[in-house]
Every structure is written in structure tokens, then in C-alpha cells.
Amino acid sequence: MKGYDYGEGFNDYAGYTMALSVTEQQDRIFSGEISFTAPNGTPVWGITPYAGVIGRDGKEITIVENGGGNSLGSLITLDEMEIIYVDGRDPFSIAIDSLKKN
């Protein structure tokens, strides 16, 4: 995960883990929770509910998070995706997230 936060600048969250769990799915619409863990194993930023849609092409993904923030991305393989997180609230932020299925 790498990004930019207004007021802080560029960030590299090396060693942090992002988990995107899918708890429900109907057709191309799904929902679940997003969580982050620090390199020492400590949970950070709490757990965030989200909902998402897989595009008609079976590769494009759009996600909206509870409380703000959106992600657009694509499935690279059946076990890997890349999403671009965007949050326009003050202070705004943007990040590139690469996820692999466990």
C-alpha cells in the first residue's frame, strides 16, 4: 500500500496488511469488512464495512466504504487485485492497494 495524504505527503505502508473480507455476495454485488494490521500485528484504523460491484467484464471493481472513501480497481488474476483508494474528505488521500487471496 502506497499513497498520498494531504498535509503529510507521500506514504509507504511497508509491512502493513490490508484484509478485505467478503461476507455476502449476490451476483456481482458483494459486501464485507476491510481491516488493517501494523507490522507488529496490532490492528489499526478499526474495521470498516464496505460494499462493492464487479463490472460486466468480470474484472473491474468499484467499492464504497462506510463513512467515506471509494476504490476503483481490477482483478489481475483469480487470486490478485489492485485497487485505487480515493477519499476527498479533508484531509484528502489517495492510495494504491495490491491484494492477494489467502
Side-chain angles (χ1 to χ4, degrees), residues 37-65:
T37 306
N40 65 4
T42 303
V44 292
W45 300 311
I47 295 174
T48 304
Y50 78 91
V53 173
I54 300 170
R56 286 184 183 207
D57 64 0
K59 294 186 179 215
E60 298 303 313
I61 299 169
T62 303
I63 295 173
V64 62
E65 296 181 15

Side-chain angles (χ1 to χ4, degrees), residues 3-11 13 85 91-95:
Y4 178 87
D5 296 304
Y6 181 70
E8 292 181 32
F10 294 96
N11 294 308
Y13 296 96
Y85 171 78
F92 65 83
S93 64
I94 193 163

Side-chain angles (χ1 to χ4, degrees), residues 74-81:
S74 59
L75 295 171
I76 298 166
T77 68
L78 289 176
D79 295 332
E80 186 177 2
M81 75 170 86

